Amino acid sequence: MAASLVFRLHNRGPELVREVLLERGWEEYDEKEQEEEDWNLYWRGSAFCKSEYHNLLPWQRLNHHPKTAGITRKDCLARNLRRMKATFGSALYDFSPIAFILPNDYTRFLDEYNKLRLTRGPSVYWICKPVDLSRGRGIFIFEDIKDLVYDCSVIVQRYISSPLLISGYKFDLRIYVCVKSFHPLTVYIHQEGLVRFATEKYSLSSLKNLYAHLTNTSINKFGPFYKTQKERVGQGCKWTLSKFRHFLHSQDINQLLLWQRINNIVTLTLLTIAPSVPSCPNCVELFGFDILIDVKFKPWLLEVNYSPALTLDCQADVTVKKSLISDLIDLMNYTSTDRLRERAYQKHGHKQPCLHADQPSHVPIPVLPKAKQSKFQKKTRSIQSSQTQALPLIKTLHWSEKINRRRTRHHEQPAASWKLPSIYRYIQLFIIPLEGTTAVNGQHVPPLRVGDFIRTFPFNTATLEASQHKLDVKIIIQELHKLTAQLADWRSEEEEEDVEGEEDFDSLLWGQKDPPLLRQYFKP
Ligand code: ADP
């Protein structure tokens, strides 16, 4: 029997990931039974350390990219967005409420506070949040600076005091974003997500009532009205995004621009860190973007969650999160067995899995060092059709040596006898056919959709090219502008000519229930 794929969960969780992977026939890693490197996916809620990235073997993947705290810590996000505002203009980066990191920015905050008091009077509200806490812990809202009391590093952010309400209840959206790769930037957004409601009616006269002002489930599930049938909202505090789309439709609200603006928020936020995230093709990351919509239908970014909660509190969670994780695993593009890991063990003789010679091997292609790449490309060009995609792996050049070293450390086998197969020798077997994958100008285009994940970046030939080598943020921003303008005024686009090369590139309209191709939308 061929070896199953093996997953490893840090601290035995999250349960949902275990459940989905076991259902898919994966095996759970057992440190007593298995070798240290005998796993395919390591999932943890907290960050991996540097050595874990460095010691990755070709068949191993991690669920976090390195150095993403730049958007997932509240203070770092505020700092990075401020920097982008200064570089690319505040009009573009106006989707995040102005924020100050205290105590450092206290004087700047005071200036802004006084300025707004003079121009707008007292009706300006602020929200204070500890920089490294989550789930609504330590958050309070204030109007008067005398109520601002803090004993740790916090961010004070302008409070969006006129949120869009449904039957008087405040809500925000949890949008699930998968960054398949930072180099080249490849982003997918899940069609399904969550709408999280406050459980008491919104009122600015009760700033202390967290059940009316915060939409965190971790807070609202302990509220006195959590189980009550609330007008239109229903019981509990969550809807699926599909239900929300249905609601908008029933209100005759044009959703197109709203979704595109959220899409832009995701891309523009990721651009703040993309150039500084080290390349680690064996990593995939799921982020939770929290978006608040105000009465004018403007979406605001509240925060980006590092490890979005995967607990199942209600039916909406079950509906959304189970298929989310399943689609995420599909996006990682594993196949049913791992021939590469298997061969390593077979060669060594420690494990003797039964290989099925007639079964095609679908092991990802490793990323080669620049010097070897052209040779590799020449060798494989004839094999790779436009319908195949190379799924890159980490630059682990001396992985056989690494594994040797580790084994020697464990005094189990002399390093010399522990030889792994050459990743280059087996290159022909490593090609993974991915449905819907095409090539544009010789560059491979990631699939349009995988399950309910819709590719939102790159979304055209220009952005594909601008993200291939050195990320060209300027070009990407120009293209985002163009696309949003086209969507705002899509009728005029019908008369325009095709952009050269554009016909080779397909993009779906994220956010739509049955997303049409952008092209089809512009040319009905
Ligand atoms: P946490 O990481 O603790 O969940 P968030 O930044 O997500 O912190 O804030 C928690 C909740 O507070 C949000 O879900 C939202 O309901 C509310 N909130 C946060 N910031 C703002 C803001 N600037 N304006 C209005 N509501 C906000």
Side-chain angles (χ1 to χ4, degrees):
M1 213 182 75
S4 316
L5 291 158
V6 176
F7 66 92
R8 194 175 165 181
L9 301 180
H10 181 65
N11 280 346
R12 307 224 10 97
E15 185 51 41
L16 179 67
V17 175
R18 171 181 292 108
E19 193 186 313
V20 169
L21 289 170
L22 288 176
E23 268 175 26
R24 294 170 71 111
W26 286 54
E27 232 177 70
E28 182 158 9
Y29 175 78
D30 180 343
E31 62 181 81
K32 288 192 204 101
E33 297 276 312
Q34 276 151 310
E35 293 299 319
E36 196 188 332
E37 49 283 311
D38 195 7
W39 49 267
N40 300 89
L41 170 66
Y42 190 178
W43 186 289
R44 52 186 298 166
S46 53
F48 291 100
C49 59
K50 215 172 169 185
S51 65
E52 284 170 303
Y53 289 108
H54 282 285
N55 292 328
L56 267 183
L57 293 165
W59 56 83
Q60 300 175 330
R61 318 236 188 130
L62 304 177
N63 73 319
H64 293 293
H65 290 279
K67 297 196 174 175
T68 53
I71 53 170
T72 55
R73 254 185 77 112
K74 294 179 175 74
D75 51 344
C76 300
L77 176 66
R79 213 172 282 124
N80 275 324
L81 291 176
R82 193 186 293 166
R83 179 176 52 80
M84 294 300 269
K85 258 184 201 171
T87 316
F88 297 103
S90 47
L92 186 70
Y93 275 87
D94 72 342
F95 53 79
S96 157
I98 186 165
F100 301 90
I101 305 156
L102 266 46
N104 284 3
D105 292 341
Y106 188 78
T107 320
R108 292 179 55 209
F109 167 61
L110 204 58
D111 289 347
E112 183 72 11
Y113 173 86
N114 287 329
K115 191 179 91 192
L116 289 173
R117 276 239 149 182
L118 277 176
T119 52
R120 309 226 180 155
S123 59
V124 173
Y125 300 86
W126 301 92
I127 184 165
C128 178
K129 325 185 216 184
V131 295
D132 51 5
L133 288 185
S134 58
R135 292 180 271 134
R137 288 171 295 175
I139 296 185
F140 62 93
I141 299 148
F142 64 95
E143 194 181 1
D144 195 319
I145 201 164
K146 73 171 169 26
D147 296 324
L148 172 61
V149 182
Y150 55 94
D151 58 6
C152 58
S153 185
V154 294
I155 73 157
V156 169
Q157 194 176 53
R158 180 89 185 264
Y159 187 62
I160 307 299
S161 56
S162 307
L164 185 68
L165 303 175
I166 295 182
S167 295
Y169 294 94
K170 177 175 171 177
F171 64 91
D172 71 2
L173 311 181
R174 165 60 56 87
I175 307 290
Y176 294 103
V177 175
C178 172
V179 179
K180 179 94 196 306
S181 139
F182 272 98
H183 303 281
L185 185 62
T186 311
V187 184
Y188 286 81
I189 308 187
H190 207 257
Q191 284 289 92
E192 204 41 289
L194 290 166
V195 183
R196 309 174 316 158
F197 286 91
T199 44
E200 292 192 31
K201 291 212 176 185
Y202 186 74
S203 162
L204 284 169
S205 55
S206 59
L207 294 182
K208 287 205 167 71
N209 184 358
L210 298 185
Y211 301 123
H213 288 275
L214 304 194
T215 51
N216 303 78
T217 309
S218 45
I219 289 190
N220 283 286
K221 68 180 176 189
F222 298 111
F225 299 100
Y226 179 67
K227 290 195 173 143
T228 311
Q229 271 292 343
K230 295 170 283 295
E231 188 189 341
R232 197 160 223 157
V233 172
Q235 261 191 358
C237 65
K238 274 183 197 162
W239 280 6
T240 61
L241 215 50
S242 306
K243 186 166 173 176
F244 180 61
R245 273 194 292 263
H246 193 262
F247 166 79
L248 294 178
H249 186 71
S250 71
Q251 305 292 303
D252 263 343
I253 293 165
N254 181 358
Q255 306 176 34
L256 184 64
L257 262 187
L258 173 72
W259 299 126
Q260 182 53 32
R261 282 165 120 184
I262 294 175
N263 200 347
N264 289 358
I265 290 178
V266 170
T267 309
L268 291 169
T269 305
L270 291 170
L271 286 179
T272 66
I273 55 161
S276 60
V277 172
S279 177
C280 188
N282 278 33
C283 303
V284 162
E285 186 146 6
L286 181 71
F287 294 102
F289 277 63
D290 290 349
I291 305 282
L292 185 82
I293 304 169
D294 72 13
V295 270
K296 292 186 181 152
F297 259 83
K298 177 181 161 76
W300 294 88
L301 175 70
L302 297 183
E303 73 156 343
V304 182
N305 289 273
Y306 184 68
S307 273
L310 293 176
T311 43
L312 304 180
D313 286 322
C314 58
Q315 190 48 47
D317 277 347
V318 178
T319 311
V320 171
K321 293 179 185 175
K322 216 171 162 188
S323 49
L324 171 77
I325 295 303
S326 195
D327 290 345
L328 184 73
I329 304 299
D330 284 341
L331 199 49
M332 290 185 191
N333 201 25
Y334 285 104
T335 45
S336 55
T337 53
D338 179 352
R339 184 64 63 89
L340 189 59
R341 199 185 92 240
E342 201 173 58
R343 273 180 190 277
Y345 283 91
Q346 192 197 34
K347 189 94 177 171
H348 168 242
H350 172 77
K351 259 190 163 186
Q352 291 292 332
C354 167
L355 289 177
H356 296 277
D358 53 340
Q359 193 181 311
S361 178
H362 296 303
V363 186
I365 291 183
V367 158
L368 303 178
K370 278 225 160 69
K372 289 197 177 178
Q373 208 139 24
S374 58
K375 210 167 144 197
F376 159 74
Q377 275 161 357
K378 259 185 237 150
K379 259 189 177 176
T380 55
R381 195 163 296 143
S382 56
I383 309 158
Q384 287 190 22
S385 79
S386 62
Q387 292 303 309
T388 62
Q389 185 205 30
L391 186 74
L393 281 167
I394 195 167
K395 291 175 185 171
T396 313
L397 283 179
H398 305 294
W399 51 286
S400 56
E401 283 162 29
K402 263 184 207 161
I403 208 168
N404 279 342
R405 249 182 276 136
R406 283 194 224 163
R407 303 270 324 180
T408 317
R409 249 195 346 257
H410 285 241
H411 312 292
E412 283 168 10
Q413 198 77 25
S417 65
W418 179 231
K419 277 233 165 174
L420 290 161
S422 155
I423 48 176
Y424 307 120
R425 260 176 50 210
Y426 292 96
I427 225 92
Q428 296 191 12
L429 300 170
F430 299 161
I431 291 158
I432 307 171
L434 251 186
E435 220 182 292
T437 308
T438 50
V440 171
N441 301 339
Q443 287 154 345
H444 283 281
V445 180
L448 270 177
R449 73 179 296 163
V450 174
D452 272 343
F453 272 114
I454 304 287
R455 176 186 16 89
T456 57
F457 191 91
F459 54 88
N460 62 11
T461 317
T463 49
L464 176 76
E465 279 166 6
S467 58
Q468 281 303 308
H469 305 292
K470 196 170 175 290
L471 196 70
D472 193 332
V473 178
K474 252 191 183 159
I475 298 269
I476 294 167
I477 286 175
Q478 274 170 18
E479 292 300 316
L480 278 179
H481 264 309
K482 265 199 243 165
L483 177 61
T484 315
Q486 280 172 350
L487 288 173
D489 188 21
W490 66 276
R491 262 163 233 288
S492 62
E493 185 65 13
E494 284 172 45
E495 285 116 50
E496 278 187 22
E497 295 275 292
D498 246 352
V499 182
E500 212 181 312
E502 207 76 345
E503 66 276 9
D504 297 331
F505 202 107
D506 284 335
S507 273
L508 290 164
L509 272 172
W510 175 78
Q512 307 283 91
K513 187 172 180 296
D514 300 305
L517 284 170
L518 268 177
R519 221 160 3 107
Q520 289 166 347
Y521 204 87
F522 292 138
K523 295 187 184 63

